[in-house]
Amino acid sequence: REKIKGKRQMNKGSVVFGVAVLLALSFCVYGQDKDIHIPPGKTMGFNYRVSDGAGFSWEFNSSGAIVSSTNNAYDSGMALRMDGTNFTWSNNANQSGDGRVFEIGPFSYNLLKVYRRIYVDPKLGYCRYIDIFENTTSGAIAVNIEHYSAMGGPVKRIYTSAGGTTHTDNDWGIITDDGNGSSRPSVVHVYASKDAAFRPKFRYNENNNEVICGLKLDVPAGKAVAICMFEAQCRPWDKTKKMLDDFNYQEELKKIPAPLRKIIVNYTGGQSASFGLNLPRKKDSDLVVLRSEKEVAG
């Protein structure tokens, strides 16, 4: 009995120790890993135009907003606002070696350093935004964030991630369209994972061309957090609906460098509200992603 009791105590201690180490690693990665930016070296100017893997065109200004697209899908798109103040940048951007990713900033706002990192996918055909907010002070900073777009025409038809035609707060994505017969592509907006702890609020007015995604973000002292958004132009309507239905954000997030992926708050796998650790839900278990990128289910 004494041997069995001793083994049970040892096993219990190992479990507690293992959980403690896992939490400590989470704190360490989130608080200290600074490898979240494109290193300086290759730069690019604006306006910058590129096509995605589906053949749709994207053109960006120096502040990261979409200024041109295929058949005017956007009048302007994905402008970043913080408490009503526009993110602005007038210098060149750092660019990845393959030219698919560029980063602008830092823009200084309310003691935050703000960066925009933009990627156009060469296969699936989408544009991905990651906006990074760094707090170098000793106190938390709250900021109201909006991603603002003016579509090429009024929103007359939608389709949601739940498969409906009425948007709800439970949705994680939506398609906006200006109606049957238009030459403009429909636009897919993916703004969260299904079970994200932080979910932006998407809003639009029928027959108006404005769509806005808003979120109140608390940036802890000495930390960085990020918001990730996916935008895609697509047509015809049935193909666009299938794109949203089949969009696997978990797979697409794997294209993001691990240190940056770990600070994204609006998708499962980023930091949680309490202590920097999130357990994504798989179909039959929880999931822990270790720093080595090994996945442990249980």
PDB file of all heavy atoms in Angstrom, residues 147-163:
ATOM      1  N   HIS A 147     -11.799  47.983 -38.413  1.00  0.00           N
ATOM      2  CA  HIS A 147     -11.368  47.782 -39.788  1.00  0.00           C
ATOM      3  C   HIS A 147     -12.536  48.235 -40.680  1.00  0.00           C
ATOM      4  O   HIS A 147     -13.615  47.642 -40.641  1.00  0.00           O
ATOM      5  CB  HIS A 147     -11.027  46.323 -40.044  1.00  0.00           C
ATOM      6  CG  HIS A 147      -9.804  45.858 -39.319  1.00  0.00           C
ATOM      7  ND1 HIS A 147      -9.849  45.307 -38.062  1.00  0.00           N
ATOM      8  CD2 HIS A 147      -8.489  45.899 -39.672  1.00  0.00           C
ATOM      9  CE1 HIS A 147      -8.620  45.006 -37.676  1.00  0.00           C
ATOM     10  NE2 HIS A 147      -7.779  45.353 -38.627  1.00  0.00           N
ATOM     11  N   TYR A 148     -12.269  49.285 -41.435  1.00  0.00           N
ATOM     12  CA  TYR A 148     -13.339  49.930 -42.196  1.00  0.00           C
ATOM     13  C   TYR A 148     -13.140  49.690 -43.688  1.00  0.00           C
ATOM     14  O   TYR A 148     -12.043  49.865 -44.220  1.00  0.00           O
ATOM     15  CB  TYR A 148     -13.347  51.435 -41.922  1.00  0.00           C
ATOM     16  CG  TYR A 148     -14.261  52.225 -42.844  1.00  0.00           C
ATOM     17  CD1 TYR A 148     -15.615  52.352 -42.559  1.00  0.00           C
ATOM     18  CD2 TYR A 148     -13.754  52.816 -44.007  1.00  0.00           C
ATOM     19  CE1 TYR A 148     -16.453  53.057 -43.408  1.00  0.00           C
ATOM     20  CE2 TYR A 148     -14.588  53.523 -44.859  1.00  0.00           C
ATOM     21  CZ  TYR A 148     -15.935  53.644 -44.561  1.00  0.00           C
ATOM     22  OH  TYR A 148     -16.760  54.328 -45.402  1.00  0.00           O
ATOM     23  N   SER A 149     -14.231  49.283 -44.372  1.00  0.00           N
ATOM     24  CA  SER A 149     -14.199  49.105 -45.822  1.00  0.00           C
ATOM     25  C   SER A 149     -15.417  49.761 -46.451  1.00  0.00           C
ATOM     26  O   SER A 149     -16.525  49.714 -45.895  1.00  0.00           O
ATOM     27  CB  SER A 149     -14.199  47.616 -46.200  1.00  0.00           C
ATOM     28  OG  SER A 149     -13.027  46.966 -45.744  1.00  0.00           O
ATOM     29  N   ALA A 150     -15.206  50.376 -47.592  1.00  0.00           N
ATOM     30  CA  ALA A 150     -16.295  50.861 -48.447  1.00  0.00           C
ATOM     31  C   ALA A 150     -16.298  49.968 -49.681  1.00  0.00           C
ATOM     32  O   ALA A 150     -15.349  49.994 -50.478  1.00  0.00           O
ATOM     33  CB  ALA A 150     -16.090  52.320 -48.813  1.00  0.00           C
ATOM     34  N   MET A 151     -17.333  49.153 -49.816  1.00  0.00           N
ATOM     35  CA  MET A 151     -17.385  48.227 -50.931  1.00  0.00           C
ATOM     36  C   MET A 151     -17.697  48.980 -52.228  1.00  0.00           C
ATOM     37  O   MET A 151     -18.137  50.138 -52.206  1.00  0.00           O
ATOM     38  CB  MET A 151     -18.421  47.134 -50.675  1.00  0.00           C
ATOM     39  CG  MET A 151     -18.335  46.482 -49.292  1.00  0.00           C
ATOM     40  SD  MET A 151     -16.667  45.970 -48.803  1.00  0.00           S
ATOM     41  CE  MET A 151     -16.294  44.740 -50.055  1.00  0.00           C
ATOM     42  N   GLY A 152     -17.487  48.302 -53.363  1.00  0.00           N
ATOM     43  CA  GLY A 152     -17.713  48.958 -54.650  1.00  0.00           C
ATOM     44  C   GLY A 152     -19.164  49.266 -54.933  1.00  0.00           C
ATOM     45  O   GLY A 152     -19.469  50.128 -55.770  1.00  0.00           O
ATOM     46  N   GLY A 153     -20.061  48.592 -54.259  1.00  0.00           N
ATOM     47  CA  GLY A 153     -21.488  48.839 -54.404  1.00  0.00           C
ATOM     48  C   GLY A 153     -22.196  48.563 -53.096  1.00  0.00           C
ATOM     49  O   GLY A 153     -21.610  48.009 -52.157  1.00  0.00           O
ATOM     50  N   PRO A 154     -23.467  48.922 -52.982  1.00  0.00           N
ATOM     51  CA  PRO A 154     -24.204  48.692 -51.735  1.00  0.00           C
ATOM     52  C   PRO A 154     -24.381  47.204 -51.450  1.00  0.00           C
ATOM     53  O   PRO A 154     -24.489  46.393 -52.364  1.00  0.00           O
ATOM     54  CB  PRO A 154     -25.552  49.367 -51.992  1.00  0.00           C
ATOM     55  CG  PRO A 154     -25.694  49.384 -53.482  1.00  0.00           C
ATOM     56  CD  PRO A 154     -24.306  49.555 -54.027  1.00  0.00           C
ATOM     57  N   VAL A 155     -24.375  46.853 -50.176  1.00  0.00           N
ATOM     58  CA  VAL A 155     -24.561  45.459 -49.775  1.00  0.00           C
ATOM     59  C   VAL A 155     -26.047  45.113 -49.891  1.00  0.00           C
ATOM     60  O   VAL A 155     -26.882  45.642 -49.157  1.00  0.00           O
ATOM     61  CB  VAL A 155     -24.062  45.231 -48.333  1.00  0.00           C
ATOM     62  CG1 VAL A 155     -24.328  43.787 -47.910  1.00  0.00           C
ATOM     63  CG2 VAL A 155     -22.581  45.556 -48.228  1.00  0.00           C
ATOM     64  N   LYS A 156     -26.371  44.239 -50.818  1.00  0.00           N
ATOM     65  CA  LYS A 156     -27.765  43.827 -51.028  1.00  0.00           C
ATOM     66  C   LYS A 156     -28.002  42.353 -50.726  1.00  0.00           C
ATOM     67  O   LYS A 156     -29.149  41.911 -50.649  1.00  0.00           O
ATOM     68  CB  LYS A 156     -28.173  44.118 -52.471  1.00  0.00           C
ATOM     69  CG  LYS A 156     -28.193  45.598 -52.814  1.00  0.00           C
ATOM     70  CD  LYS A 156     -28.690  45.814 -54.243  1.00  0.00           C
ATOM     71  CE  LYS A 156     -28.764  47.299 -54.581  1.00  0.00           C
ATOM     72  NZ  LYS A 156     -29.235  47.531 -55.966  1.00  0.00           N
ATOM     73  N   ARG A 157     -26.924  41.608 -50.572  1.00  0.00           N
ATOM     74  CA  ARG A 157     -27.063  40.165 -50.340  1.00  0.00           C
ATOM     75  C   ARG A 157     -25.888  39.712 -49.475  1.00  0.00           C
ATOM     76  O   ARG A 157     -24.757  40.129 -49.677  1.00  0.00           O
ATOM     77  CB  ARG A 157     -27.066  39.431 -51.686  1.00  0.00           C
ATOM     78  CG  ARG A 157     -27.149  37.931 -51.581  1.00  0.00           C
ATOM     79  CD  ARG A 157     -27.367  37.269 -52.930  1.00  0.00           C
ATOM     80  NE  ARG A 157     -26.374  37.621 -53.939  1.00  0.00           N
ATOM     81  CZ  ARG A 157     -26.202  36.952 -55.084  1.00  0.00           C
ATOM     82  NH1 ARG A 157     -26.997  35.933 -55.370  1.00  0.00           N
ATOM     83  NH2 ARG A 157     -25.278  37.325 -55.945  1.00  0.00           N
ATOM     84  N   ILE A 158     -26.181  38.843 -48.505  1.00  0.00           N
ATOM     85  CA  ILE A 158     -25.126  38.297 -47.665  1.00  0.00           C
ATOM     86  C   ILE A 158     -25.310  36.793 -47.527  1.00  0.00           C
ATOM     87  O   ILE A 158     -26.363  36.235 -47.823  1.00  0.00           O
ATOM     88  CB  ILE A 158     -25.101  38.940 -46.261  1.00  0.00           C
ATOM     89  CG1 ILE A 158     -26.327  38.521 -45.455  1.00  0.00           C
ATOM     90  CG2 ILE A 158     -24.962  40.444 -46.326  1.00  0.00           C
ATOM     91  CD1 ILE A 158     -26.225  38.815 -43.965  1.00  0.00           C
ATOM     92  N   TYR A 159     -24.226  36.167 -47.067  1.00  0.00           N
ATOM     93  CA  TYR A 159     -24.250  34.743 -46.714  1.00  0.00           C
ATOM     94  C   TYR A 159     -23.287  34.585 -45.550  1.00  0.00           C
ATOM     95  O   TYR A 159     -22.179  35.110 -45.586  1.00  0.00           O
ATOM     96  CB  TYR A 159     -23.814  33.892 -47.904  1.00  0.00           C
ATOM     97  CG  TYR A 159     -23.737  32.406 -47.624  1.00  0.00           C
ATOM     98  CD1 TYR A 159     -24.889  31.618 -47.610  1.00  0.00           C
ATOM     99  CD2 TYR A 159     -22.514  31.785 -47.370  1.00  0.00           C
ATOM    100  CE1 TYR A 159     -24.824  30.254 -47.366  1.00  0.00           C
ATOM    101  CE2 TYR A 159     -22.433  30.428 -47.128  1.00  0.00           C
ATOM    102  CZ  TYR A 159     -23.593  29.670 -47.121  1.00  0.00           C
ATOM    103  OH  TYR A 159     -23.521  28.312 -46.874  1.00  0.00           O
ATOM    104  N   THR A 160     -23.711  33.886 -44.504  1.00  0.00           N
ATOM    105  CA  THR A 160     -22.910  33.833 -43.281  1.00  0.00           C
ATOM    106  C   THR A 160     -22.249  32.472 -43.099  1.00  0.00           C
ATOM    107  O   THR A 160     -22.600  31.485 -43.752  1.00  0.00           O
ATOM    108  CB  THR A 160     -23.775  34.124 -42.044  1.00  0.00           C
ATOM    109  OG1 THR A 160     -24.597  32.985 -41.763  1.00  0.00           O
ATOM    110  CG2 THR A 160     -24.647  35.353 -42.258  1.00  0.00           C
ATOM    111  N   SER A 161     -21.309  32.432 -42.154  1.00  0.00           N
ATOM    112  CA  SER A 161     -20.598  31.188 -41.858  1.00  0.00           C
ATOM    113  C   SER A 161     -21.530  30.116 -41.307  1.00  0.00           C
ATOM    114  O   SER A 161     -21.212  28.927 -41.354  1.00  0.00           O
ATOM    115  CB  SER A 161     -19.460  31.447 -40.875  1.00  0.00           C
ATOM    116  OG  SER A 161     -19.931  32.116 -39.719  1.00  0.00           O
ATOM    117  N   ALA A 162     -22.698  30.514 -40.797  1.00  0.00           N
ATOM    118  CA  ALA A 162     -23.695  29.546 -40.330  1.00  0.00           C
ATOM    119  C   ALA A 162     -24.582  29.050 -41.466  1.00  0.00           C
ATOM    120  O   ALA A 162     -25.465  28.224 -41.256  1.00  0.00           O
ATOM    121  CB  ALA A 162     -24.556  30.176 -39.233  1.00  0.00           C
ATOM    122  N   GLY A 163     -24.351  29.572 -42.678  1.00  0.00           N
ATOM    123  CA  GLY A 163     -25.143  29.152 -43.832  1.00  0.00           C
ATOM    124  C   GLY A 163     -26.433  29.921 -43.991  1.00  0.00           C
ATOM    125  O   GLY A 163     -27.306  29.500 -44.749  1.00  0.00           O
TER     126      GLY A 163
END
